[in-house]
Amino acid sequence: MGGLRGAFGFAAALAIAAGCGGDGDGAAPDAGYPPVTLDHCAFAPIPPTARAGGQVVAGPLRAGAAEAPVDIPVSTALGSYTARANFLGTSGKVDLRRTDINGAFNPSIGVETRMWVKALALEAGGEKVVLLHVDLGFPYEGFVFDLEQRLGPDYSGKVIITASHSHSAWGQYSAHAGIGGVGAGRVQRLVYHRFLDAFEQVARAAIANAQPARIGFFFDGEFDPDDQINRDRRGENDALAGGPRDDNQFFLIRVDAVDGAPIAALPVFGIHGTLQDADNSFASTDAPGGIERVFQEAFDRPVVVMHLQGAGGDVSPVGHGEVDCAVRPGNPDDPCWTWLKNEGLGRVALPYLVAAYDAAGARMTDTLAIEMLTRSVELGPDPDTFTVRDGALRYAVWDRYTPADRRIWADDGSILSPIDEFNAPVGAALCEADYPVFPAGALAGTDELPPYGSCVTIDVAGSILGELLDLRFEAAPDKPVCQSTRTTVSALRLGDYLIATMPGEVTTLIADRVRAASPMPPDKTIVLGYAQGEMGYILTPEDWLQGGYESSINFWGPLEGEYLVERLAEVMAMAATPEREDAAEISADRYVTPELQDDFTVDVPAVAPGTIPADADLPDNVWTRTGPATRVQPLPQIERVSGLAQFVWIGEHPAASTPVVTLQREASPGVFADVVRRSGRPVQEGDILLAYTPLPLRPDPGEPRTHYWVAEWQAVPWLGSGELDALDRRVAVPLGRYRFHVTSPTYELFSDPFEVVPATLDVSATASGTRLDIAVRIAATKGFRLMSLTAPSNGPLPVKNGVFRVQVERTGGPVVQFDDVAGDAGGHITVDLGSDASAARRVTVTDAWGNTGSVDL
């Protein structure tokens, strides 16, 4: 998790906060450590794989897709950056509010893009499977089994849940305290069940939508060679990878109805969701969501687009678009938000994705064989479990106290086995460098021996982090974190292709191992990361031993990743046979999701929900992005590009509902209709920001609160605006009257209408002989939307490639007008007056959209 650099990249702060000591030499044999036990954990057998027995047969394909947003309360902590933990500092804070759901993490304050659940249901030859995608930092294993149970026995072992890995998605849903808790905050029952309910709703809708269909695949083994979309971020393994190699294996799965109508498009490649850093406090789908949102607007109907993660563990996104952070639209101490980079990345990726989609359409089939198996895999606490490579690599005895021999590599460069440095019967993490964050949890005899020297046993780390982060750690010398002892893998055969899931941050080299172990060729083996669960970074033994950040975020040492590949390979082999096997026969018992509880209440009545206050009653500490709110309704007129419409109202506590805001435009006098994108979706998130302030910011116990909400829209064309989608037409949002439409389960509101009027262009001109050289620019100092892929979008920008009318007033002469003058990409125009241009006294420029500006010379 790039956020568990946020999660664990705060060693100094933790060491100071913990105040714990130790000499790192391990305990003596008589230290009294009890044997490691899992008696505190609740396990259950996984049910038999549905439809096991008989033969895999090809049959006519049926497919259905569906999507829906998830209503998670604003104030819920955002996941995957533990730098947002409030004991560490102010990442994401804009005021001193105290809210009740976020626990030890700083609260979120709004929504830039809503989180979506998307599903694709496939049926053929008697087999039925559901593939779900959700905007989360990582999935939780409990979701998979709990959803299977809700869908019934037909879907036992037939559900895949994948996550986008946005580092600004909601947290507080994972009962895995060691990964989910540290990375995403203390689990809340409300959040967990909101997600689970959405999974069930969308899965059932996709199943109900199934119709005769066709499927096609596209593969590119040299994806993005110029690093315009993703790039390598792990330099420690460059010698092993043959240089700074990232995930260059791209797949796209296309599903159409038999009449050619598109149903779903699933691009698969690895990329981190880290364009927004820990200072971002708005829920955002980040880079993966930006790719999806732009791609889905390439269709003229709603098509379910699901970007699935490949080997994203050591791959960063490439941002396109900038913000001048010296120009803060509100409080100069507020964070500098760069949400526009999400759209910029999507725009750069779009031509490639469209070409891949078209290529997949050239080779489609309506008949195929499908088989899917899901397996629960045992991890710790038995060291013999992790024996790999036919016994060539294994761990020595785990007894906590025997000092390591400090020899890692043989003379020939191979790893010495058995490995005695990782002496951690309850697991260990933070293995990155020389010195441990918590010396009391150091591995015996590894001081100053990277990467083992910084390892900390999970019982010690858990007891301290549990206190700091308000987590329910199973923290005692004999107790590993229960969920860390199990994980989940799946294999899904789709005709000649095989999808293999990995429960964590798949790195490039481990994806190579999966493809090498597959019964299908590499170009037909699709590796999905962030799927079915989360166990941190998954690396080869050699890669783990290079140290660095990625090595620090897993629990069972250098052999964990390869061990998991070998268990996955067994499932992949079963999926490729003609028989329908039962994966339960080779599965460990799964960890049962514990009984969850909420540690917050919403029974204090909200003040005046569903009302619009008067300007005079508006408190000065209602936070907006552009500074304290001074008016409730939008300004009556706002200019294109620079204009911002803001609307303030009073709503419910976020746990009751998050309001949905839609943009409407006047279609005929007094009649407003939703503004829709090319795909048919209404204009909502991404174009409209939603911010929240509870007042008083720090109430007394039981004191009622007023819940203020603010919607904000910048007057530029919305994503999916058809012919206006090009960035050089951001000056051309349709004129007219608009308003906000706010809906909630308990109220409905409309803002006052506001009129979008032409922009004022910034014009400058220089005389040279008989010519006037004119520059046309436009500025959006307080804007947040993308205007340029390269220059700051909130700074003065050229009006690119426009067509203009130029009027020149001259001393002692008539006005000269030039029509249809073409400007270049730099916003420059040249006109020839036919006489001395120094006589020009005023120049007025009007573009093709009616925006105008003048300059006196």
Side-chain angles (χ1 to χ4, degrees):
M1 292 158 223
L4 289 184
R5 182 174 300 271
F8 292 120
F10 49 80
L14 287 181
I16 294 169
C20 58
D23 59 13
D25 292 331
D30 59 355
Y33 281 119
V36 173
T37 176
L38 298 182
D39 292 345
H40 62 297
C41 303
F43 297 103
I46 71 169
T49 302
R51 291 172 292 282
Q55 300 290 301
V56 179
V57 296
L61 176 66
R62 291 176 58 82
E67 62 184 15
V70 187
D71 181 11
I72 303 299
V74 177
S75 297
T76 301
L78 302 179
S80 300
Y81 279 124
T82 305
R84 296 187 179 113
N86 55 33
F87 83 93
L88 286 173
T90 60
S91 289
K93 282 192 173 183
V94 297
D95 53 32
L96 296 178
R97 70 184 65 190
R98 182 176 64 231
T99 53
D100 45 13
I101 191 172
N102 49 291
F105 281 66
N106 296 327
S108 56
I109 65 169
V111 178
E112 186 260 340
T113 40
R114 291 190 293 173
M115 305 298 108
W116 287 79
V117 174
K118 303 179 180 183
L120 175 65
L122 300 173
E123 308 174 19
E127 180 69 298
K128 297 186 290 186
V129 302
V130 177
L131 176 62
L132 288 109
H133 172 70
V134 58
D135 289 309
L136 282 179
F138 42 86
Y140 171 59
E141 283 92 340
F143 281 145
V144 178
F145 297 108
D146 289 351
L147 179 60
E148 287 180 0
Q149 186 175 30
R150 286 192 177 196
L151 295 179
D154 271 0
Y155 289 92
S156 176
K158 307 299 180 180
V159 171
I160 293 175
I161 298 179
T162 70
S164 68
H165 198 50
S166 167
H167 280 49
S168 291
W170 303 117
Q172 300 192 257
Y173 57 87
S174 172
H176 188 334
I179 295 291
V182 174
R186 179 171 178 169
V187 60
Q188 300 285 13
R189 184 181 188 280
L190 180 148
V191 176
Y192 185 89
H193 282 280
R194 290 265 181 102
F195 274 112
L196 189 58
D197 291 346
F199 294 155
E200 181 182 5
Q201 170 198 343
V202 176
R204 290 191 183 279
I207 293 166
N209 291 339
Q211 60 180 302
R214 304 182 303 162
I215 191 168
F217 298 83
F218 172 81
F219 170 73
D220 179 2
E222 297 296 334
F223 171 63
D224 192 32
D226 299 324
D227 289 345
Q228 293 300 299
I229 299 171
N230 65 8
R231 60 175 177 80
D232 175 53
R233 73 175 211 163
R234 177 166 167 77
E236 289 87 352
N237 68 358
D238 285 355
L240 300 174
R245 180 163 65 94
D246 58 21
D247 182 26
N248 60 1
Q249 305 292 294
F250 174 91
F251 289 87
L252 187 138
I253 304 171
R254 172 175 172 171
V255 182
D256 289 356
V258 291
D259 64 1
I263 294 175
L266 287 69
V268 185
F269 62 93
I271 190 168
H272 250 67
T274 50
L275 288 177
Q276 312 311 312
D277 63 21
D279 280 343
N280 175 53
S281 47
F282 281 70
S284 172
T285 56
D286 209 276
I291 291 166
E292 287 186 352
R293 292 180 64 244
V294 173
F295 190 17
Q296 68 191 18
E297 294 308 317
F299 301 93
D300 58 7
R301 66 183 73 193
V303 174
V304 173
V305 173
M306 303 161 59
H307 166 261
L308 305 181
Q309 285 283 3
D314 50 359
V315 179
S316 289
V318 179
H320 297 274
E322 296 293 340
V323 170
D324 182 356
C325 291
V327 182
R328 302 293 173 100
N331 186 330
D333 294 328
D334 283 347
C336 180
W337 290 294
T338 57
W339 304 303
L340 52 81
K341 289 185 176 183
N342 306 338
E343 180 183 342
L345 175 59
R347 285 179 174 272
V348 169
L350 180 62
Y352 180 85
L353 298 177
V354 170
Y357 179 84
D358 291 342
R363 299 180 297 276
M364 303 191 78
T365 180
D366 59 7
T367 303
L368 79 163
I370 299 179
E371 184 183 18
M372 181 177 163
L373 303 106
T374 296
R375 176 184 189 181
S376 178
V377 178
E378 181 179 2
L379 297 172
D382 183 351
D384 292 337
T385 298
F386 297 96
T387 301
V388 297
R389 299 185 188 176
D390 294 326
L393 290 179
R394 62 184 179 86
Y395 290 129
V397 173
W398 284 353
D399 61 8
R400 293 179 179 267
Y401 60 82
T402 301
D405 65 8
R406 303 179 62 86
R407 297 183 62 234
I408 298 175
W409 303 99
D411 292 342
D412 62 1
S414 63
I415 300 171
L416 287 170
S417 180
I419 296 171
D420 61 355
E421 285 78 14
F422 194 80
N423 190 347
V426 295
L430 309 180
C431 306
E432 181 174 1
D434 300 359
Y435 299 99
V437 178
F438 310 128
L443 301 185
T446 64
D447 51 300
E448 300 186 46
L449 178 68
Y452 296 106
S454 62
C455 290
V456 180
T457 58
I458 293 302
D459 50 359
V460 171
S463 64
I464 298 168
L465 292 173
E467 290 292 325
L468 293 173
L469 300 178
D470 188 26
L471 301 177
R472 302 178 182 98
F473 260 103
E474 307 99 342
D478 61 333
K479 293 181 179 181
V481 174
C482 293
Q483 186 64 78
S484 76
T485 68
R486 298 292 188 273
T487 195
T488 306
V489 296
S490 295
L492 170 59
R493 174 185 170 188
L494 297 174
D496 295 333
Y497 287 80
L498 189 63
I499 294 177
T501 73
M502 294 286 276
E505 311 226 19
V506 178
T507 52
T508 301
L509 293 175
I510 210 76
D512 291 345
R513 295 292 178 94
V514 175
R515 286 186 283 265
S518 172
M520 303 296 192
D523 61 350
K524 294 189 175 181
T525 299
I526 304 174
V527 181
L528 297 188
Y530 308 99
Q532 305 294 70
E534 174 58 38
M535 51 185 282
Y537 285 88
I538 308 175
L539 303 105
T540 67
E542 289 80 4
D543 196 358
W544 191 96
L545 287 167
Q546 305 309 306
Y549 167 64
E550 288 79 9
S551 301
S552 72
I553 312 301
N554 50 42
F555 281 9
W556 298 107
L559 302 185
E560 179 186 56
E562 189 141 330
Y563 163 75
L564 188 62
V565 172
E566 292 187 2
R567 302 293 76 76
L568 175 60
E570 293 164 357
V571 182
M572 291 192 292
M574 294 168 69
T577 67
E579 292 77 32
R580 291 198 180 280
E581 296 92 344
D582 182 2
E585 295 179 353
I586 62 168
S587 288
D589 289 350
R590 71 175 183 92
Y591 175 58
V592 177
T593 305
E595 189 69 28
L596 303 177
Q597 298 177 348
D598 290 331
D599 55 8
F600 67 96
T601 60
V602 293
D603 55 357
V604 177
V607 177
T611 62
I612 302 173
D615 287 349
D617 297 330
L618 190 61
D620 60 8
N621 52 354
V622 172
W623 185 90
T624 80
R625 191 185 62 89
T626 55
T630 58
R631 57 181 295 130
V632 169
Q633 296 287 354
L635 292 167
Q637 288 189 335
I638 62 171
E639 287 193 11
R640 285 168 165 161
V641 181
S642 62
L644 298 169
Q646 288 185 340
F647 176 46
V648 183
W649 72 97
I650 298 171
E652 298 276 13
H653 187 291
S657 68
T658 299
V660 176
V661 186
T662 303
L663 185 68
Q664 295 188 327
R665 184 168 179 249
E666 192 173 44
S668 59
V671 178
F672 286 80
D674 286 350
V675 179
V676 296
R677 308 185 194 276
R678 179 188 177 191
S679 67
R681 297 172 173 89
V683 172
Q684 293 174 341
E685 72 276 350
D687 291 271
I688 300 173
L689 292 177
L690 180 66
Y692 165 68
T693 305
L695 293 177
L697 291 174
R698 303 180 73 83
D700 294 328
E703 182 179 2
R705 271 180 139 169
T706 307
H707 302 281
Y708 288 90
W709 297 87
V710 182
E712 179 183 354
W713 177 67
Q714 183 182 353
V716 298
W718 43 89
L719 184 64
S721 55
E723 66 176 13
L724 302 182
D725 252 348
L727 289 181
D728 58 12
R729 297 191 176 186
R730 285 279 146 126
V731 296
V733 66
L735 303 175
R737 296 212 310 160
Y738 293 79
R739 71 181 184 186
F740 293 112
H741 178 205
V742 181
T743 57
S744 168
T746 59
Y747 63 86
E748 180 181 37
L749 296 172
F750 297 93
S751 75
D752 289 348
F754 57 91
E755 184 181 10
V756 174
V757 299
T760 300
L761 302 177
D762 178 16
V763 179
S764 61
T766 304
S768 177
T770 62
R771 298 187 312 169
L772 281 176
D773 295 319
I774 303 166
V776 185
R777 304 175 74 82
I778 196 164
T781 304
K782 296 186 177 183
F784 64 92
R785 292 293 311 285
L786 182 71
M787 298 287 293
S788 168
L789 293 175
T790 55
S793 288
N794 60 339
L797 291 165
V799 179
K800 295 182 176 182
N801 305 316
V803 177
F804 302 92
R805 181 178 70 247
V806 180
Q807 295 173 310
V808 181
E809 300 175 29
R810 298 180 298 172
T811 300
V815 174
V816 179
Q817 179 167 308
F818 301 86
D819 295 320
D820 300 327
V821 181
D824 62 16
H828 296 108
I829 306 168
T830 299
V831 295
D832 194 327
L833 300 180
S835 59
D836 186 3
S838 64
R841 289 294 172 259
R842 184 176 178 83
V843 177
T844 301
V845 176
T846 304
D847 68 14
W849 312 103
N851 306 303
T852 189
S854 300
V855 62
D856 293 325
L857 303 179

